[in-house]
């Protein structure tokens, strides 16, 4: 067995988990959708079938005040019990186990009913909370207990009490948000009474044979957070109060430290759980940026935890565990931690899905059925769109030939993977490479498709996924030797001087800037922690320290014509990380720039109307793209049936999420 620690059962006394993997809590949005519970049941059924040891649902509020957003899912009456039953039945039918997470958002709620220990507004919600009265606190505790009892009635194997990430329970624990002077505030013993009462009373209400996971904020990453000694005290008290397992929580949502983005090294926070090992006798779960069986096994083998939690990796691949069990981890569709289709969706009130697996949370819409009419199909272009279409059509039984003009598959992902902190993009290319092999897709590398190819091979249908070409600009002096395109820099390795101006501050402009200013990426957690001010010695409350100063490799201007914040259109949950990373490296991000001309002196611009010369060695154009669909007309002219997807279809606002989804949708339909 390749993963002896990971695949070992975990004995909890009254029950046993089939392996050491927890599918961590994720809100999907289906909880609130019409007929969403049926879809949710299919979603969880797939993951249970895929062999995961224990599933935790997305956060379910114990009452209205605990909603994350208006009308979020609740567990407070029999109607809710019936909804949840569909989920627990589905999971149990597949031999899985599932716990319901009870989450009270406290001051993080995005609605006017919000409550908190003290009336202090959070920096991430516009709603100022009402301070709970003493009776209000007792009532809230009763609602937690009621939610746990109803969860048991609905067939859950247990509950997870959400005590981290800055939600209500966490707000009681630290002075930062708890300024109370009664029995629920002041001393640490008073501040932790709220979680302890919740766990103690749940245990009393549900009996011994029911899992209680407590998600403990082991590292708050906010000023005035808990000290390590306090965290250990709480862990011990939680064990005594009756919890079966302690899960690790890292960072409040308002913390200015990345905790799960792709630039966070794999397993970067495992050291925190490891520090807790031995302090309690119940099992500990570690979390954050663990996305392969290899990493998970390594963590468990080092005795850094008893169990590993992965959440997004199960959006990316429901069959993660089965593939690991059969020694086929190379077939896993790995989560690249981009957040683009999961967290970014949830924060925009859209149903979650996955960039690399568009069928996640949409299993019923994206079901891949065998074709009754197998065809011989050419896919032109092995970028994300073409790869996704080719794989889906081959899975359905079509005969696929994939033509790629360059010497490798992956399209623009071959540039993305070179950006510091985006190494995970290698995994998506690896996944597709393996799928091509498994599905016997005929791959023609270094083979541009032409109308002659069609005349020779006479394909039934052709899928054009030829992507995009960089937009050409008409600034005076654009042919100056100092001007480069992003492909020159990222694909062709052209030399770049010390002083650089980047025209265009979209996703690619930001990535090129990071590529140019990073000396070496913080790929190990120690380097990463120093950069973001995480104290691995945990000397101060909250675990923060002054971040390291960084000497940038180059001096860079990142420019855009439009008004407003540079990079405003970057991902909702990751844009701030990109901006902060560049700021730390002295990149000057300028908006309202008019490009006048390029000369030996550099780039002549108007900065908010003021003439300025940016004296730079190189100017790099990252000004968007246009579709590359030159083949469409000649192919149609010879009578071919042509479908166009990805960047070739529409270049504006193109990203890999759309490219892969469009490829899969076409593949299902054809
Ligand atoms: P492409 O990836 O452009 O692929 C088209 C393929 O077609 C190419 O391999 C090309 O060689 C081939 N081709 C063209 N003509 C022919 C022909 N006649 N015959 C055979 N083959 C042909 N997106 C995100 O969502 N998230 C990110 O974080 C992200 N980061 C990025 C970072 C960088 C540096 C870059 C450059 C892009 C990034 N993108 C990102 C954008 C993303 O990569 C694109 O949206 C996606 O690759 C578009 O997919 P596609 O298949 O339509 O086109
Ligand atoms: P983009 O996001 O559309 O950005 C293009 C930039 O060029 C904008 O800043 C635009 O700003 C500028 N521009 C457009 N036309 C111009 C012109 N004629 N002259 C000068 N400047 C011009 O495109 P991209 O950066 O090329 O990225 C392509 C796609 O890949 C994007 O959709 C993006 O989502 C995706 N991507 C995503 C990530 C990620 O981290 N999620 C990373 C990389 C790429 P002004 O018009 O204000 O000047
Ligand atoms: Fe992972 Fe990105 Fe998919 Fe989210 S969208 S699960 S971060 S690959």
């Amino acid at each position: 067995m390749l993963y002896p620690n990971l695949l070992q059962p975990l004995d909890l006394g009254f029950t046993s988990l089939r392996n050491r993997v927890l599918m961590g809590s994720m809100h999907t949005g289906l909880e609130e959708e019409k007929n969403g519970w049926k879809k949710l049941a299919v979603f969880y059924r797939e993951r249970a079938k895929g062999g995961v040891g224990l599933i935790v649902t997305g956060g379910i509020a114990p009452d209205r005040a605990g909603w994350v957003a208006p009308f979020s899912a609740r567990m407070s009456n029999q109607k809710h019990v019936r909804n949840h039953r569909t989920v627990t039945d589905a999971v149990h039918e597949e031999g899985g186990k599932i716990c319901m997470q009870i989450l009270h958002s406290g001051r993080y709620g995005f609605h006017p009913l919000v409550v908190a220990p003290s009336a202090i507004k959070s920096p991430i919600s516009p709603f100022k909370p009402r301070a709970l009265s003493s009776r209000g606190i007792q009532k809230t505790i009763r609602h937690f207990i009621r939610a746990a009892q109803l969860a048991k009635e609905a067939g859950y194997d247990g509950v997870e009490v959400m005590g981290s990430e800055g939600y209500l329970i966490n707000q009681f624990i630290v002075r930062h948000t708890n300024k109370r002077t009664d029995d629920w505030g002041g001393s640490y013993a008073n501040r932790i009474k709220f979680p302890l009462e919740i766990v103690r009373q749940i245990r009393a209400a549900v009996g011994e044979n029911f899992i209680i996971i407590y998600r403990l904020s082991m590292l708050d990453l906010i000023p005035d957070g808990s000290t390590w000694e306090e965290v250990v005290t709480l862990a011990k008290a939680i064990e005594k109060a009756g919890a079966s397992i302690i899960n690790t929580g890292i960072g409040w949502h308002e913390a200015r430290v990345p905790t799960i983005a792709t630039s966070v090294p794999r397993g970067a926070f495992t050291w925190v759980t490891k520090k807790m090992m031995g302090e309690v006798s119940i099992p500990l779960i570690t979390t954050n940026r663990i996305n392969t069986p290899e990493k998970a096994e390594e963590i468990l083998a080092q005795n850094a935890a008893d169990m590993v939690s992965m959440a997004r990796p199960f959006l990316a691949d429901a069959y993660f565990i089965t593939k690991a069990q059969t020694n086929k981890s190379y077939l896993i569709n790995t989560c690249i931690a981009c957040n683009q289709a999961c967290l970014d969706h949830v924060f925009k009130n859209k149903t979650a899905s996955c960039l690399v697996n568009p069928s996640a949370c949409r299993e019923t819409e994206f079901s891949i059925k065998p074709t009754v009419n197998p065809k011989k199909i050419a896919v032109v272009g092995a970028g994300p769109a073409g790869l996704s279409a080719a794989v889906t059509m081959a899975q359905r039984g079509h005969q696929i030939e994939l033509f790629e003009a360059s010497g490798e598959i992956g399209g623009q992902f071959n540039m993305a993977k070179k950006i510091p902190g985006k190494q995970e993009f290698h995994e998506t290319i690896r996944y597709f490479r393996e799928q091509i092999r498994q599905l016997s897709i005929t791959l023609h590398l270094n083979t541009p498709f032409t109308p002659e190819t069609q005349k020779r091979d006479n394909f039934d249908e052709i899928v054009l996924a030829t992507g995009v070409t960089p937009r050409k600009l008409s600034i005076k002096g654009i042919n100056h030797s100092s001007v480069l395109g992003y492909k020159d820099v990222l694909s062709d390795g052209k030399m770049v001087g010390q002083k650089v101006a980047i025209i265009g501050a979209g996703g690619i402009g930001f990535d090129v800037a990071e590529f140019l200013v990073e000396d070496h990426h913080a790929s190990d957690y120690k380097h990463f922690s120093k950069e973001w001010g995480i104290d691995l010695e945990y000397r101060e409350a909250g675990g923060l320290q002054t971040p390291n100063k960084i000497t940038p490799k180059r001096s860079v201007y990142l420019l855009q014509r439009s008004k407003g914040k540079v990079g405003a259109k970057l991902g909702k949950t990751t844009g701030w990380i990109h901006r902060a990373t560049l700021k730390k490296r002295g990149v000057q991000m300028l908006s309202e720039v008019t490009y006048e001309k390029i000369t030996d002196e550099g780039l002549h611009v108007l900065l908010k109307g003021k003439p300025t010369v940016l004296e730079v060695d190189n100017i790099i154009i990252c000004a968007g793209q246009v579709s590359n669909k030159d083949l469409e007309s000649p192919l149609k002219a010879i009578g071919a049936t042509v479908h166009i997807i990805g960047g070739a279809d529409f270049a504006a606002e193109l990203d890999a999420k759309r490219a892969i989804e469009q490829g899969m949708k076409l593949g299902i339909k054809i």
Side-chain angles (χ1 to χ4, degrees), residues 592-629:
E592 291 182 67
V593 180
T594 310
Y595 311 111
E596 297 267 273
K597 61 180 174 183
I598 296 159
T599 67
D600 290 346
E601 280 177 277
L603 177 62
H604 299 245
V605 294
L606 299 178
L607 289 183
K608 295 191 176 161
K610 193 170 156 239
T612 312
V613 182
L614 305 177
E615 292 175 4
V616 292
D617 306 313
N618 287 109
I619 294 134
I620 303 175
I621 312 296
C622 301
Q625 296 105 2
V626 291
S627 289
N628 176 15
K629 52 173 134 193

Side-chain angles (χ1 to χ4, degrees), residues 22-23 33 87 109 277 378 380 397 420 422 425 649 651 660 663 666:
L22 178 97
M23 175 175 151
E33 217 179 271
V87 164
M277 288 291 276
V380 185
K422 283 180 112 160
F425 283 64
D649 174 38
I660 293 177
L666 176 70

Side-chain angles (χ1 to χ4, degrees), residues 235-305:
K236 291 181 172 173
I238 286 288
E239 176 178 12
K240 226 168 134 197
S244 332
I245 303 176
I246 291 179
N247 192 0
T248 304
I250 299 289
W252 287 37
H253 285 316
E254 67 202 65
R256 292 289 84 184
V257 177
T259 51
I260 59 166
T262 192
S263 54
V264 177
R266 287 180 183 173
F269 293 99
T270 295
W271 63 272
V272 189
T273 320
K274 189 171 185 185
K275 206 172 160 73
M276 184 64 79
M277 288 291 276
E279 299 284 2
V280 289
S281 55
I282 52 176
L284 293 181
I285 306 176
T286 196
T287 64
N288 288 50
R289 278 293 280 122
I290 301 164
N291 63 341
T292 64
E294 289 74 17
K295 187 71 204 174
E297 176 66 20
E298 179 193 312
I299 290 166
L300 294 174
Q302 289 170 352
N303 208 24

Side-chain angles (χ1 to χ4, degrees), residues 465-476:
T466 42
V468 289
T469 42
R471 177 178 284 123
K472 290 203 170 78
L473 299 188
S474 54
I475 306 169
K476 205 168 154 199

